[in-house]
């Protein structure tokens, strides 16, 4: 026992002094690993030798520019699809409902003729009140969401054709009339905003862009010209695709010209109304119901696709903080500003051109294509005339790109000259019905009218963008006024349907001459730098405290003192003169504010403001504790 305990003591003493075989090596390895990890962390957290700040910033803004181009193309495709579906379905619906056999066989006691009259009244009359609510809707919903919801209303109109009744067709037609002005005002605003964004992303190194100041005069005009041209080239194809249901479905069911035009005596300038004596039965046999349902289902699918394009592919026109600024000026001011903008002599003198741009498109689709085209060539050639007109408008819209080198008046005056010659020719053109030898002259007139339409449409939209490009907070009001006057033109065309053709052409010619005179007066005043009146847009008042809107609180200030200071601020703002050269600061939250350089620049100031507020709050708490 004694020997055993002695051996155990020796082993214990030896364990205190003798190290394990690999113990030293493990400790050395751990020390090396710690040094290695620390070196890797310093290398990771330290300045990167491979990181090129300028290159990363250049790639960032290149992605932004590509996003702007994607937005323009997506908005153009969405608008083209919406109007292709709408015009194609409306044309097919009106032809079917016009046929006496279709009404009696399928809807004998429904009164489709009366429904069609009320439906057209809803589409043509309702837009007159668009000036009252359009700016409020755009400011409340935002430009992108307004386009999306308006396209949804057009899809609703398509869906009501599955069940053709008074309580489905008429309310959806009224909804279309309500949505026309907001949709087009949003589209015009959106395309111009994309041009402004593209300029900012191209010139992101410029000081006025980094500090979010007002853009220099004429800085983004070239981008406005290009984007408006791209939009109209794509959108005008809607007239081509709208004729597919007519060509593929209805044409095979139509009667020959001898039956349809049997009671028609004259065509062209000498007739009154659309086509007096046109036969009330235009179809040899009715298309099958399942075929019509399939066509409507395809159109419904494209309407939903347009909604998805607006929702997914179109980026926002403004940053969320800017949308807050646009709304916070007060709903009363938003409602009044469109009327106040009419004090600007530039808009007042352009109003005749706004009206004419609506009259000439509707005349080409309804007056010329029916009273000249269908009356002379027959109903089976209607699709050909409109397809040629749409293709011509689309191709010749690219001519507005010449404004990059030529003066801007050339586009509008050139389109007006083409239309003036055609109107005078149509005033003298009348013939007998069913004359196929006139096919080539009528196609030439369609091509030339499309040329005038392309120059007119792109010219007016581009001119408005160039006049108000530097004031992005006014764009929705400007385009609302433009498309509201076009809605007045729609109403005029609805009223003149029973007038003689020469009276319609005379109204067109008089409006065109007045438009050219007023436009020349406007350009002369602008060249002489005559001062124009622009209403003051109130500065946004924010009651929200957050990362952007930080207010200094004065605990000793009473409520009465606050109200007196607010009244003084309002009086000072009202006394400030409003002129074109007035420098209004741009909001700090515009599109370029999310760039890497702005993040780095703004991080320090934001931190200091937060720390000042935090220390101020801590001092107030200490005072309360002491008291």
């Amino acid at each position: 026992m004694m020997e055993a305990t002695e051996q155990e003591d020796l082993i214990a003493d030896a364990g205190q002094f003798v190290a394990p075989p690999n113990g030293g090596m493990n400790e050395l390895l751990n020390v090396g690993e710690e040094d290695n990890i620390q070196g890797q962390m310093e290398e990771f957290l330290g300045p990167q030798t491979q990181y090129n700040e300028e290159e990363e910033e250049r790639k960032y803004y290149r992605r932004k520019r590509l996003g702007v181009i994607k937005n323009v193309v997506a908005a153009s495709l969405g608008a083209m699809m919406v109007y292709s579906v709408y015009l194609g379905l409306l044309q097919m619906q009106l032809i079917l409902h016009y046929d006496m056999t279709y009404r009696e066989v399928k809807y004998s006691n429904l009164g489709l003729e009366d429904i069609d009259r009320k439906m057209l009244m809803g589409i043509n009359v309702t837009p007159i009140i668009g000036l009252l609510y359009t700016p409020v809707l755009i400011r409340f919903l935002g430009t992108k969401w307004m386009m999306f919801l308006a396209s949804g209303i057009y899809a609703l109109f398509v869906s009501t054709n599955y069940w053709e009744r008074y309580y489905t067709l008429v309310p959806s037609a009224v909804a279309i009339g309500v949505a026309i002005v907001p949709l087009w005002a949003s589209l015009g605003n959106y395309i111009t905003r994309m041009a402004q964004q593209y300029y900012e992303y191209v010139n992101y190194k410029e000081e006025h862009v980094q500090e979010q100041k007002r853009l220099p005069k004429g800085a983004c005009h070239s981008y406005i010209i290009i984007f408006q041209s791209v939009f109209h080239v794509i959108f005008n194809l809607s007239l081509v695709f709208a004729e597919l249901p007519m060509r593929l479905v209805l044409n095979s069911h139509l009667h020959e010209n001898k039956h349809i035009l049997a009671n028609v005596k004259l065509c062209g300038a000498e007739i009154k109304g659309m086509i007096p004596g046109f036969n009330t039965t235009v179809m040899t046999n009715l298309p099958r119901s399942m075929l019509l349902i399939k066509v409507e289902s395809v159109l419904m699918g494209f309407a939903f696709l347009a909604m998805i394009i607006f929702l997914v592919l179109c980026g926002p026109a403004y940053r969320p903080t800017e949308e807050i600024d646009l709304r916070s000026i007060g709903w009363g001011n938003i409602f009044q500003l469109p009327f106040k903008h009419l004090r600007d002599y530039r808009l007042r003198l352009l109003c005749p051109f706004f009206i004419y741009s609506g009259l000439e498109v509707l005349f080409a689709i309804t007056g010329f294509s029916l009273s000249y085209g269908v009356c002379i060539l027959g109903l089976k050639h209607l699709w050909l005339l409109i397809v040629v007109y749409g293709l011509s408008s689309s191709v010749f819209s690219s001519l507005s790109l010449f404004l990059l080198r030529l003066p801007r008046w050339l586009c509008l005056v050139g389109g007006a000259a083409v239309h003036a010659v055609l109107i005078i020719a149509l005033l003298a053109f009348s013939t007998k019905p069913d004359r196929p030898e006139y096919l080539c002259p009528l196609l030439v007139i369609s091509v030339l009218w499309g040329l005038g339409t392309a120059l007119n449409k792109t010219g007016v939209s581009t001119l408005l963008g160039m006049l108000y490009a530097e004031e992005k907070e006014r764009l929705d009001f400007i385009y609302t006024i433009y498309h509201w006057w076009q809605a007045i033109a729609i109403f005029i065309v609805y009223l003149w349907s029973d007038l003689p053709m020469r009276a319609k052409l005379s109204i067109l010619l008089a409006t065109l001459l007045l438009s050219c005179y007023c436009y020349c007066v406007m350009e002369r005043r602008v060249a002489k730098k005559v001062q124009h009146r622009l209403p003051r847009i109130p500065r946004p008042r924010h009651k929200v405290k957050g990362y952007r809107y930080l207010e200094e609180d004065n605990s000793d200030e009473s409520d009465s003192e606050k109200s007196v200071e607010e009244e003084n601020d309002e009086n000072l703002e009202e006394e400030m003169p409003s002129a074109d050269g007035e420098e209004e600061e741009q909001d700090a939250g515009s599109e370029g504010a999310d760039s890497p350089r702005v993040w780095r620049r703004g991080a320090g100031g934001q931190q200091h403001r937060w720390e000042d507020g935090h220390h101020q709050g801590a001092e107030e708490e200490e005072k309360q504790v002491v008291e």
Side-chain angles (χ1 to χ4, degrees), residues 3-290:
E3 292 177 357
T5 54
E6 289 177 0
Q7 291 177 357
E8 291 176 358
D9 293 339
L10 289 173
I11 292 172
D13 294 338
Q16 294 176 1
F17 298 101
V18 178
N22 297 325
M25 290 294 295
N26 290 336
E27 290 179 2
L28 291 174
L29 288 174
N30 290 336
V31 170
E33 288 179 0
E34 289 178 0
D35 293 339
N36 190 20
I37 291 172
Q38 186 175 2
Q40 291 178 357
M41 292 293 291
E42 289 178 356
E43 182 181 356
F44 178 75
L45 297 175
Q48 300 292 322
T49 57
Q50 298 179 353
Y51 179 76
N52 189 340
E53 180 180 352
E54 295 293 331
E55 181 67 18
E56 292 297 323
E57 198 168 34
R58 187 181 65 80
K59 291 180 180 178
Y60 171 81
Y61 282 105
R62 184 179 62 184
R63 291 194 300 269
K64 287 289 187 181
R65 292 195 296 271
L66 291 176
V68 169
I69 296 173
K70 180 260 299 179
N71 292 340
V72 173
V73 175
S76 306
L77 286 174
M80 185 266 290
M81 286 185 183
V82 166
Y83 264 76
S84 298
V85 171
Y86 164 63
L87 295 176
L89 180 64
L90 185 63
Q91 182 188 35
M92 188 174 68
Q93 182 188 63
L94 292 176
I95 292 175
L96 287 173
H97 292 182
Y98 178 82
D99 187 77
M100 182 69 71
T101 307
Y102 183 86
R103 294 202 303 264
E104 290 183 353
V105 171
K106 301 197 72 172
Y107 303 100
S108 58
N109 57 355
L110 188 60
L112 279 181
E113 193 174 2
D114 181 61
I115 291 176
D116 284 347
R117 280 198 300 268
K118 292 198 169 121
M119 188 177 67
L120 291 174
M121 183 184 298
I123 294 174
N124 296 317
V125 178
T126 311
I128 293 177
I129 61 173
L131 191 64
L132 302 178
Y133 58 81
T134 297
V136 176
L137 286 179
I138 293 177
R139 291 287 172 115
F140 179 73
L141 298 172
T143 305
K144 172 187 172 179
W145 284 101
M146 189 66 251
M147 294 190 298
F148 170 72
L149 292 177
S151 64
I153 292 176
Y154 281 82
L156 172 67
F157 176 76
V158 178
S159 66
T160 55
N161 282 266
Y162 285 108
W163 187 252
E164 294 178 315
R165 295 293 184 273
Y166 182 90
Y167 52 84
T168 58
L169 293 178
V170 176
S172 64
V174 172
I176 288 282
V178 171
I180 286 176
V181 178
L183 173 63
W184 279 102
S186 301
L187 285 170
N189 184 17
Y190 191 80
I191 299 300
T192 308
R193 283 291 301 130
M194 290 302 106
Q196 293 171 343
Q197 287 186 18
Y198 197 87
Y199 170 82
E200 292 173 358
Y201 296 149
V202 169
N203 301 277
Y204 62 92
K205 292 184 179 180
E206 299 292 334
E207 183 179 355
H208 64 272
V209 174
Q210 293 180 6
E211 297 181 0
Q212 306 304 327
K213 293 182 179 179
R214 184 192 296 273
L215 300 180
K217 193 73 175 175
C220 58
H221 286 184
S222 58
Y223 303 118
I224 292 174
I225 294 170
I226 295 171
F227 287 175
Q228 288 289 352
S229 177
V230 170
F231 172 78
H232 285 93
V233 165
I234 296 176
F235 172 77
N236 286 329
L237 292 175
S238 60
L239 294 172
V240 178
F241 293 111
E243 294 305 309
L244 290 179
M246 177 73 181
R247 178 67 184 88
L248 301 177
V249 179
L250 289 186
N251 254 32
S252 59
H253 298 275
L254 294 176
H255 270 295
E256 297 298 327
N257 294 342
K258 292 181 180 180
H259 175 80
I260 297 176
L261 303 174
N263 299 321
V264 179
K265 304 302 181 185
L266 285 172
C267 298
E270 294 185 2
I271 67 173
K272 181 180 180 181
M274 287 299 177
I275 310 176
F278 200 70
N279 204 319
T280 55
T281 56
V282 296
M283 289 188 290
T284 56
N285 58 334
L286 301 182
R288 293 181 293 109
S289 297
M290 282 305 300

Side-chain angles (χ1 to χ4, degrees), residues 332-482:
N333 289 317
I334 294 173
F335 176 78
Q336 296 174 17
L337 280 170
F339 302 95
K340 292 182 177 180
H341 273 87
L342 287 172
R343 300 171 183 169
D344 187 355
Y345 71 83
R346 298 175 295 178
L347 281 178
R348 287 202 311 270
L349 292 173
L350 283 174
C351 285
F353 242 126
F354 297 163
I355 296 175
Y356 177 75
S357 65
L359 291 178
E360 58 94 5
V361 173
L362 290 175
F363 175 78
I365 296 175
T366 59
F368 171 74
S369 62
L370 294 178
S371 301
Y372 288 86
V374 173
C375 187
I376 296 173
L377 303 175
L379 192 57
K380 288 189 176 182
H381 287 86
L382 173 63
W383 70 273
L384 181 59
L385 291 171
I386 296 182
V387 164
V388 169
Y389 170 69
L391 280 175
S392 173
S393 301
S394 176
V395 171
F396 289 124
S397 292
S398 60
L399 292 179
S400 62
L401 294 175
F402 286 111
L403 295 182
L404 295 170
R405 294 290 181 267
L406 299 175
R408 67 188 181 192
W409 58 264
L410 194 62
C411 196
L412 282 175
V413 174
V418 173
H419 277 176
V421 173
L422 291 177
I423 291 173
I424 294 172
L426 291 175
L427 279 169
F429 181 55
S430 63
T431 184
K432 299 290 184 181
D434 196 11
R435 303 290 295 272
E437 63 269 18
Y438 283 102
L439 176 61
C440 289
L442 289 175
L443 290 180
V444 170
I445 293 175
S446 294
V447 171
L448 294 177
W449 199 280
L451 168 62
T453 298
L455 295 176
N456 182 280
K457 287 290 187 183
T458 54
V460 173
S461 300
T462 303
L463 177 64
L464 288 178
M466 294 168 72
L467 290 176
Y468 298 93
E470 292 77 29
E471 302 179 75
K472 60 185 177 181
E473 68 275 5
R474 301 184 187 274
L475 290 176
D476 51 347
F477 301 120
I478 302 304
Y479 283 102
T480 295
I481 293 170
Y482 168 35

